[in-house]
Amino acid sequence: LFDLPLDVARERIVLANRVLDRFEQERVDFHERVRQAYLERAHAAPSRIHVVDAQKGMAEIQAVLDQIVASLPHALLLTGQRGLGKFALAQEFAAGLLCERPLANGAACGKCLACNWMGQGNHPDFRLLQPLALAGETEADEGRKKGGQQITIDQVRGLDEFLNVGTHRAGLRIILVNPAEAMNRNTANALLKSLEEPCSGTLFLLVSSEPLRLLPTIRSRCQVVAVNVPERANSGPNAP
């Protein structure tokens, strides 16, 4: 969360000789309430939301962001029942981490070069491992596919070069595995070697609807993030 006092923000707008948009024209007390609400949320969940002082110089801000990225676990396991959108969540999370101009909430901007690469499916610092049968399908479809349902050991071995070269954008390197239970024992053991000795600046995102089918050694190397069924008020087409 990039935080900037209102007087400083308005001063920057004036210096930029820019016309205030409709949102910026709201009363000062409105903006202060919004700011305080975001700060309260951040202070209530410091492990999830980091507050960055946007008054600092770019070098200082970049140093803070580098520290935040460095504090990430090297592997996350997203679990929950089928059809909740875990795969889409993992994709959005990866896009936000790789984005060159992320929004205040950490989401991808959708406009920078990195976001364009992600949208085209060819970001040089991102790899997706999934069964061929799932290519182009949604998470809800995965149980209905009949062929090519496994992530192969060749796919995992194909990560060797990716993991041992520098990143193209001097940032994170992300591997998304979906669904993780599509790996057989040999494939899982091949991936385990990378999980046990992770390369610097590498994040593994594993998605699973059946985590108990994963090797215990795989689960133990990951920080588990449970994706729960949303409450009725937060679900549906009009949900926030």
Side-chain angles (χ1 to χ4, degrees), residues 1-5 35 39 51-55:
L1 174 64
F2 290 91
D3 179 47
L4 193 65
R35 177 178 177 239
L39 289 175
V51 179
V52 178
D53 184 357
Q55 295 184 84

Side-chain angles (χ1 to χ4, degrees), residues 65-151:
L65 294 178
D66 290 342
Q67 290 177 353
I68 292 172
V69 170
S71 68
L72 284 171
H74 72 277
L76 293 174
L77 172 60
L78 277 64
T79 66
Q81 69 182 51
R82 197 181 308 280
L84 286 180
K86 301 183 296 299
F87 179 42
L89 176 63
Q91 287 178 305
E92 291 183 12
F93 181 56
L97 290 175
L98 293 172
C99 177
E100 297 172 352
R101 297 192 297 272
L103 305 181
N105 63 0
C109 72
K111 300 177 181 178
C112 67
L113 180 60
C115 286
N116 287 334
W117 281 340
M118 286 295 286
Q120 296 167 11
N122 58 5
H123 195 296
D125 296 327
F126 176 80
R127 290 292 184 274
L128 171 61
L129 299 187
Q130 65 177 356
L132 293 178
L134 282 184
E137 300 293 334
T138 66
E139 180 184 336
D141 293 323
E142 69 182 52
R144 296 198 295 268
K145 305 305 289 185
K146 299 299 182 183
Q149 293 182 338
Q150 289 199 338
I151 295 172

